[in-house]
Amino acid sequence: MLYFDEAGYTGPDLTNPDHPYFTLASIRLTDGEAEKIKEDINYEKWGKEFHFSSMYTNPEGRQMLKQVFAHPLIDTNHVLLSFALKRYCVYANIVNILVETYYHNVGVNLYEGAKNLILANGLFYFAKLHPNKSLIAEFEGNFVKMIRKPSVESVADFYRTTDKLRFDENTNDGFFNMLSEIPPTIVCIKEALSNNKFYIDLTMPLFSISVQEWYKKTGVKDDVLFDSSEPFFANKAFLESLRDMNVFETKVGYGKNEHVYPLPVGTMKIAKSYQAFGIQLADILASALNFVLTPRTDKYKQYQDKLRILSIFQNIKLNLAPSSLEFIEERMKETADIDPLEFLCNHEKDMKYNG
């Protein structure tokens, strides 16, 4: 069984300064392994449900967390962590929702040669370094507002702010050129926008890449138990349609990001955390990773530093975050025999989904 839980969820609000990261944890355990962990850490004596948020603030809770993190089954063979930097995802979604749609309509695949990554990373870093912080915040906020509540007014506000930023005296030529990819997308704005309130939610992409990674590691289509989650519940039927596609198993995508369809997963069920010890462990892992990643200066900074050096929180490869130059250069060289978007579009009829 794969147990999932998330932390730092703010829905499509990717500009929330208090919660800059979204994290998702999965843990793969047999019933026997779950019972072994419970026995070794004396869970029954603890006598209450695990929640990281109520445990790290007191000595007793931190001692129990120490036992959990030190347990030999809490390792990379059983645990897979992922995260998203929400601010970067604003720019990734500008590219994926607006620019990609425009270029697709004129016959250009933005994903070939990593053109989407180059543009998303460039926009993010230029924006991060831009001295007019209030204008950058307005630009980011108006994009999120447009996606969350599409209207004539929100669309006009976003494109107007884009032009303000393009022609701001502090915008250099490189940033100007990248921002100039946005105004032409107005011609396909109705197609690009969605009324689905989870359109830029981060749960689904991290869930999908986690399932794919587990399948690469094990070759097994595991059953999934997910903590009660609004986005997971809302998208469960869509995920099941990806799982139930009437096609032979097919590898799609680019290089190391290659994945398979139908979605390689078994049953997917939602449960309350008190019903499943595995979900409680996933809660601890997802929340602890979020705790580690989020900058802080309070009295728990020292505890954060202790967690940060634990091996389980090192080198998280599954992420939606700025790419390294080496990664982009490698992706630029990669080709795909089957483009994933084309594959899904061509087999849409095989997806038994009425959402």
Side-chain angles (χ1 to χ4, degrees):
M1 180 73 73
L2 282 175
Y3 301 92
F4 279 85
D5 198 12
E6 39 83 3
Y9 175 71
T10 55
D13 180 9
L14 302 184
T15 58
N16 190 313
D18 296 325
H19 301 282
Y21 288 93
F22 174 81
T23 52
L24 184 71
S26 56
I27 182 166
R28 185 176 190 263
L29 296 171
T30 65
D31 289 344
E33 288 171 329
E35 288 302 315
K36 174 65 174 170
I37 295 174
K38 291 172 73 172
E39 179 182 341
D40 290 347
I41 65 175
N42 209 352
Y43 176 76
E44 296 302 327
K45 185 177 180 181
W46 174 257
K48 50 193 171 187
E49 191 176 341
F50 279 169
H51 284 294
F52 180 84
S53 59
S54 61
M55 296 172 71
Y56 82 87
T57 57
N58 61 85
E60 181 186 16
R62 289 195 292 273
Q63 182 57 36
M64 177 56 78
L65 289 170
K66 182 178 180 180
Q67 293 186 71
V68 172
F69 295 139
H71 196 279
L73 290 175
I74 305 299
D75 62 6
T76 54
N77 291 322
H78 297 85
V79 173
L80 196 58
L81 303 179
S82 60
F83 72 89
L85 176 60
K86 294 176 188 177
R87 189 179 181 192
Y88 170 77
C89 291
V90 170
Y91 294 94
N93 276 293
I94 288 173
V95 174
N96 290 334
I97 295 173
L98 301 182
V99 183
E100 190 279 333
T101 301
Y102 173 79
Y103 275 108
H104 174 77
N105 288 345
V106 297
V108 177
N109 186 340
L110 209 64
Y111 300 105
E112 286 184 351
K115 291 185 287 290
N116 64 316
L117 282 180
I118 295 169
L119 184 55
N121 279 265
L123 287 169
F124 171 77
Y125 281 115
F126 276 128
K128 189 175 180 181
L129 296 172
H130 199 280
N132 193 336
K133 303 301 181 186
S134 61
L135 181 54
I136 292 293
E138 180 184 345
F139 174 73
E140 295 171 357
N142 280 346
F143 172 73
V144 172
K145 179 182 177 183
M146 179 180 71
I147 299 301
R148 296 179 72 181
K149 297 180 179 179
S151 67
V152 173
E153 292 77 14
S154 64
V155 169
D157 286 343
F158 171 68
Y159 283 92
R160 189 180 302 116
T161 308
T162 300
D163 280 339
K164 281 174 59 179
L165 183 55
R166 287 171 70 211
F167 295 104
D168 184 79
E169 63 181 3
N170 297 298
T171 298
N172 63 30
D173 290 344
F175 197 18
F176 176 87
N177 291 336
M178 288 189 168
L179 288 168
S180 295
E181 297 284 355
I182 298 173
T185 65
I186 189 70
V187 300
C188 58
I189 193 64
K190 288 184 178 180
E191 178 185 357
L193 295 183
S194 167
N195 290 320
N196 182 349
K197 67 178 179 177
F198 296 112
Y199 195 68
I200 56 175
D201 175 72
L202 303 173
T203 310
M204 292 304 100
L206 289 185
F207 173 78
S208 180
I209 62 175
S210 296
V211 165
Q212 296 283 351
E213 189 65 21
W214 278 118
Y215 189 56
K216 289 177 186 177
K217 288 164 67 87
T218 68
V220 177
K221 298 179 181 180
D222 291 309
D223 294 332
V224 166
L225 207 58
F226 207 110
D227 187 28
S228 300
S229 163
E230 188 178 5
F232 188 79
F233 179 81
N235 287 281
K236 184 170 179 286
F238 175 65
L239 290 170
E240 289 173 337
S241 75
L242 292 176
R243 178 198 64 191
D244 298 336
M245 293 172 67
N246 186 27
V247 296
F248 291 110
E249 184 171 297
T250 306
K251 288 185 178 181
V252 304
Y254 296 85
K256 294 179 181 178
N257 293 321
E258 198 173 60
H259 50 278
V260 304
Y261 286 105
L263 192 68
V265 66
T267 62
M268 292 180 282
K269 296 181 180 179
I270 298 172
K272 299 291 186 181
S273 57
Y274 69 82
Q275 298 173 317
F277 177 65
I279 288 180
Q280 295 177 45
L281 292 176
D283 170 284
I284 285 177
L285 291 160
S287 298
L289 177 59
N290 205 287
F291 179 85
V292 164
L293 293 173
T294 302
R296 61 192 312 127
T297 57
D298 61 12
K299 63 181 180 179
Y300 298 110
K301 176 68 168 63
Q302 186 175 4
Y303 183 60
Q304 181 190 46
D305 292 338
K306 287 184 178 180
L307 292 186
R308 184 176 286 126
I309 63 175
L310 296 180
S311 60
I312 199 68
F313 300 123
Q314 300 291 314
N315 195 26
I316 309 298
K317 294 181 179 179
L318 300 185
N319 61 71
L320 301 174
S323 306
S324 67
L325 180 60
E326 292 76 17
F327 179 83
I328 292 176
E329 289 177 342
E330 183 177 346
R331 262 289 284 112
M332 289 173 67
K333 302 172 186 176
E334 294 170 346
T335 59
D337 292 330
I338 302 176
D339 182 84
L341 292 182
E342 288 185 7
F343 178 83
L344 291 176
C345 290
N346 291 338
H347 293 280
E348 185 177 6
K349 63 181 183 297
D350 299 310
M351 297 162 59
K352 300 173 183 177
Y353 173 60
N354 297 315

